[in-house]
Amino acid sequence: MTYAASNYITVFDKWDDQKTFFCFTPEDAKRLSDFHPFAEKHVDEVVDGLYAHLLKFEEAQMFLDDAETLRRLKIAQRRYFLELTSGCYEEEYYENRIKVGVTHQRMGIPPRLYMGAYSYYLQLMIPLIYQYLGDDLEKANTTFSAMYKIINLDQELAMSAYIHAVEDVISKQTEEILEMSTPVIQVWEGVVATPIIGTLDSQRAQQFMEHLLEKIVESKSPIALIDITGVPQIDTATAQHLIDTINAVKLLGSKVIITGIRPAIAQTLVHLGINLQGIITKPSMSAGLKVALEMLAVGNTGFNKTN
Amino acid sequence: MFNESLSVIKLKNILLVTVPDDPGDDMIYELQNKVLSAMEKYESAGLILDISSVNVMDSFFARTISETTQMVTLMGGHTVVAGMQPGVAITAAELGLHLGHALTALDVDSALEMLNHNLANAV
């Protein structure tokens, strides 16, 4: 799975810019790779230390409850740790870091838990760096600075990926809600009904109209009931969308009955000067259905002037 | 160019025209002429325009239908436009195109029913 093509905040094309922005230079990469042999020697110590720390917290324990998970996590963590000093910070590195954020989001691990782990990492690393390069304080300082920068970069990638994954979920849900919010139900042979719940904005109106028209044609229904009980308030834009829908339905050769006009809605419609003349309106769905059935019985569903 | 011809079918006292997919301006003119001559010849009481295969409707087409409806009314007939596709209806409603005094029906069957009902009531 590649995240580079997504609209995620730091896209791979900008990864080089991102490194520059964090002042991460090729020298930093070199220093980290110099430190690699020493890191390799101490990897178990750091990883065990990190998990020993995490297991002190009830919240973290929840995610580390069985031995098998812990073993797998430690292996992943080992790899992760060694990659920090690999000296190669290109596409593969980038992809792996993004995966960390996405995986944590998917498992429902809150960012503060693993952000804390980054901080703890750094704490474990500082003594190691100074132990290894204690003779050359200048070199120890620059190595530490490089380590600090790469961890910061990692955090940024993980956070951005996390946010992106959350946004993804939200946009999927929005789509689903949109889909769910315009059901068209066949209530009788020749009668379809559709309740509108919530505000009818242009995007929803478009979808609503398409959905309703398709269903009318599919079911060959000469009457469509549009129930607006669930519309909290109506403004000129909403009314215009409704009128467009009614006109489109008329063009197909069916009739619209608007139901669920509450007193407040009736007042607003009159105050706004919205003209619904020539459209049958009823206070409730049941009253609308009654009219529809009467029309069907008489057989006079036609004589639908288009204007 | 292949000149697709348009046929006006007489069914008892009603005329039926199936408008082909994507009619050009010439075709629409031809439609109007043929319909009006048939009205003169058969003195029909109704006209059904089946537009179920039309994918695109422009303002010229809408206006011609509206005008033809008026002309047919003058010659003593009712016009029903049948089987408009949902996509066409949406575009037409959004563009504010309308078909004048033409009646609309979901399909040719209901258009026939509608005309029969109307004629029965008129007598």
Side-chain angles (χ1 to χ4, degrees), chain A residues 211-250:
Chain A
H211 210 91
L212 176 63
L213 264 60
E214 267 160 27
K215 199 76 182 197
I216 287 174
V217 169
E218 188 191 304
S219 65
K220 292 196 183 302
S221 302
I223 300 169
L225 296 165
I226 300 178
D227 186 79
I228 58 168
T229 313
V231 179
Q233 64 229 9
I234 206 157
D235 55 14
T236 43
T238 309
Q240 193 52 52
H241 291 315
L242 265 180
I243 291 169
D244 280 352
T245 308
I246 293 164
N247 286 336
V249 172
K250 277 187 186 170

Side-chain angles (χ1 to χ4, degrees), chain A residues 97-197:
Chain A
R97 266 38 182 170
I98 297 275
K99 267 180 211 155
V100 172
V102 175
T103 312
H104 281 81
Q105 191 275 334
R106 210 167 33 217
M107 289 171 68
I109 302 175
R112 71 196 139 82
L113 275 185
Y114 62 100
M115 286 295 134
Y118 279 111
S119 161
Y120 196 74
Y121 239 11
L122 213 54
Q123 277 182 58
L124 290 177
M125 296 294 287
I126 298 167
L128 282 180
I129 291 171
Y130 286 92
Q131 185 192 331
Y132 180 55
L133 297 162
D135 319 335
D136 188 346
L137 210 55
E138 172 68 28
K139 204 172 171 195
N141 285 342
T142 48
T143 306
F144 169 66
S145 151
M147 180 64 75
Y148 187 70
K149 286 182 216 167
I150 196 70
I151 286 183
N152 269 321
L153 272 167
D154 271 18
Q155 286 182 334
E156 190 274 329
L157 285 180
M159 268 324 286
S160 297
Y162 188 95
I163 293 167
H164 179 68
V166 172
E167 278 171 351
D168 232 32
V169 172
I170 294 173
S171 73
K172 270 197 201 111
Q173 285 172 343
T174 314
E175 243 168 64
E176 260 169 42
I177 291 170
L178 208 62
E179 201 65 42
M180 281 187 331
S181 61
T182 51
V184 181
I185 315 141
Q186 176 134 31
V187 289
W188 203 269
E189 200 186 321
V191 185
V192 288
T194 174
I196 304 178
I197 314 284

Side-chain angles (χ1 to χ4, degrees), chain A residues 206 209-210 213-214 216-217 219-222 243-245 247-254 298-307, chain B residues 57 78 81-90 92-94 97-107 113-115 117-119:
Chain A
Q206 180 76 28
M209 201 199 282
E210 275 170 29
L213 264 60
E214 267 160 27
I216 287 174
V217 169
S219 65
K220 292 196 183 302
S221 302
I243 291 169
D244 280 352
T245 308
N247 286 336
V249 172
K250 277 187 186 170
L251 285 171
L252 285 186
S254 296
V298 178
N300 183 11
T301 50
F303 301 103
N304 222 336
K305 299 279 183 200
T306 49
N307 64 345
Chain B
M57 188 169 78
H78 293 283
V81 175
M84 189 185 291
Q85 288 182 19
V88 176
I90 292 172
E94 278 171 358
L97 299 179
H98 52 79
L99 303 176
H101 291 286
L103 306 171
T104 49
L106 282 168
D107 52 21
E113 239 166 68
M114 200 182 273
L115 282 174
H117 185 90
N118 188 33
L119 296 176

